[in-house]
Amino acid sequence: QVQLVESGGGLVQPGGSLTLACTVSRSIFTKNNMGWYRQAPGLTRELVARFTSDGITNYADSVKGRSTISRDNAKNTVYLQMNSMKPEDTAVYYCNLHLIRWDGTIANYWGQGTQVTVSS
């Protein structure tokens, strides 16, 4: 069983920066997409940033240019750095691992979520 553990959430002032980390419980050798989603109250969960299995990096338009997703394979960890943060970035942020197995089956894993609040 794969577990994702997030850290780094909290309260940040508008214009400030925050880095989230997501550590996977074991090394992943299966083709996968991995990244971050967020969900604000009353809204659906949305993609923030991710690495795709094709080696492409996707960003939501709302965070493009002020966010960077990165990874440390030796630590099985993916990071999300967000700069110039806005109140509308307030949400619960979830780490996601989307496995694409050799037989075409899919397994989707989520972290427990970490609250990010942008407020003065």
Side-chain angles (χ1 to χ4, degrees), residues 16-95:
S17 299
L18 195 70
T19 299
L20 304 178
C22 172
T23 300
V24 186
S25 58
R26 61 175 177 82
S27 296
I28 303 297
F29 301 102
T30 306
K31 192 175 180 182
N32 68 87
N33 298 334
M34 186 165 180
W36 293 90
Y37 289 72
R38 67 185 180 188
Q39 187 167 17
L43 300 180
T44 57
R45 195 171 295 189
E46 62 174 3
L47 173 71
V48 179
R50 68 175 180 180
F51 292 106
T52 72
S53 59
D54 299 325
I56 297 170
T57 304
N58 299 137
Y59 290 94
D61 288 343
S62 58
V63 305
K64 200 173 292 183
R66 57 187 185 92
S67 297
T68 303
I69 188 171
S70 61
R71 67 200 311 170
D72 184 335
N73 291 327
K75 296 182 179 179
N76 295 334
T77 300
V78 172
Y79 303 94
L80 178 68
Q81 180 179 352
M82 299 186 70
N83 303 314
S84 303
M85 295 192 72
K86 307 173 183 180
E88 50 264 42
D89 292 322
T90 296
V92 178
Y93 283 68
Y94 296 92
C95 183

